[in-house]
Each structure stands twice: as C-alpha cells, then as structure tokens.
Amino acid sequence: MLSALTFAGNEPVAEVRQAARGFLTKVQAVHGIPVPERAMGMVQLVVSELVTNAHKYAPGPCLLDLEIRDGAVEVSVWDTDPTLPVAQSPDPGRVGQHGLEIVIGACRSFEMRREPVGKRITAAIALADDPGGDPAGRVI
C-alpha cells in the first residue's frame, strides 16, 4: 500500500501529521496490518521533522510518500533543494536543530540521495515492537 501526498510548502505540519495518521489507520482497518501506538507516534514524528525541514530549507513544493514494506513504514520526502542535510553531533547544550539526529536514531534505516531535481530523504520505522527492546527495531 502506498500513499503519495504533495504539499505546497506552507501547510501546517499538523496537517501532514494527520495525513500520516490517516494512512496508518487505513492500513489497520482495510488491510489488517497492526500498527502499535509506538509506531504511529514515531511515524508522525519522522513525518513532522522531515517535512518541516523541507518547508524550512527548500523553496517550493514537497512530496511525501508513505509505504508499507518489509514490516516497516517507509517515509520518503522529496523537496526541490539538492543540498543534503548534515546531522550535527549530539550536544545536550544546543537549543534546536536536533530533528535529523532524532530521526536517524529512531529509524530502522535512513537514506539521503540527490535526484535530478532536488533530493529525497527516506526513513523506515518498524511496525512491530521489538522483543529485544530497541524501539527502532534494529538488531543490537
């Protein structure tokens, strides 16, 4: 199942979060795929961070794709700016600019790539809660 949404770049982030929640609610209701509250919240957080960065740093529209693949929700955001973001090193004294490091730490996988126009950032959030206790579903 795939959901693709185009945003002009000026929508409230709450609208984007609600679209992600609606997608996951439909995945549960129509396809019977369980989505724990942890995954629901994490997907909304990742969508918020990635779309906020697209709105902040890239002029023009952005595209949000949500897809269920290999037991995870793949969140992919395309925007018009080809510059790949750089996650700053952890600094508990820094105010702000922690979004990318949070996304990278919370996801099973994370990828950035330039495209013929702009860039695409893709993060995968595990659907099932990990019995080993890693909230991102990574093997530790």
Side-chain angles (χ1 to χ4, degrees):
M1 178 171 189
L2 173 68
S3 176
L5 303 162
T6 303
F7 295 94
N10 57 358
E11 298 82 5
V13 173
E15 190 177 309
V16 180
R17 289 173 60 92
Q18 187 57 40
R21 184 171 194 81
F23 169 76
L24 293 174
T25 300
K26 186 174 180 181
V27 162
Q28 287 188 112
V30 174
H31 300 283
I33 299 171
V35 179
E37 273 305 309
R38 177 216 39 89
M40 183 78 74
M42 195 59 66
V43 167
Q44 289 180 92
L45 172 66
V46 168
V47 163
S48 286
E49 292 297 336
L50 295 181
V51 171
T52 295
N53 284 350
H55 286 178
K56 189 173 179 180
Y57 298 110
C62 71
L63 176 67
L64 169 67
D65 292 329
L66 300 166
E67 185 173 8
I68 304 297
R69 180 182 294 181
D70 300 326
V73 180
E74 222 172 68
V75 175
S76 180
V77 174
W78 169 87
D79 67 47
T80 60
D81 184 358
T83 306
L84 298 178
V86 177
Q88 298 196 23
S89 20
D91 177 359
R94 183 178 70 240
V95 176
Q97 298 186 336
H98 293 280
L100 197 54
E101 71 184 86
I102 290 168
V103 169
I104 291 169
C107 294
R108 180 197 301 182
S109 65
F110 181 84
E111 175 189 12
M112 298 183 286
R113 71 176 184 271
R114 286 185 183 89
E115 299 216 333
V117 174
K119 70 177 166 298
R120 180 171 300 275
I121 298 177
T122 304
I125 299 98
L127 281 172
D129 290 331
D130 179 46
D134 180 28
R138 297 175 300 240
V139 177
I140 51 175

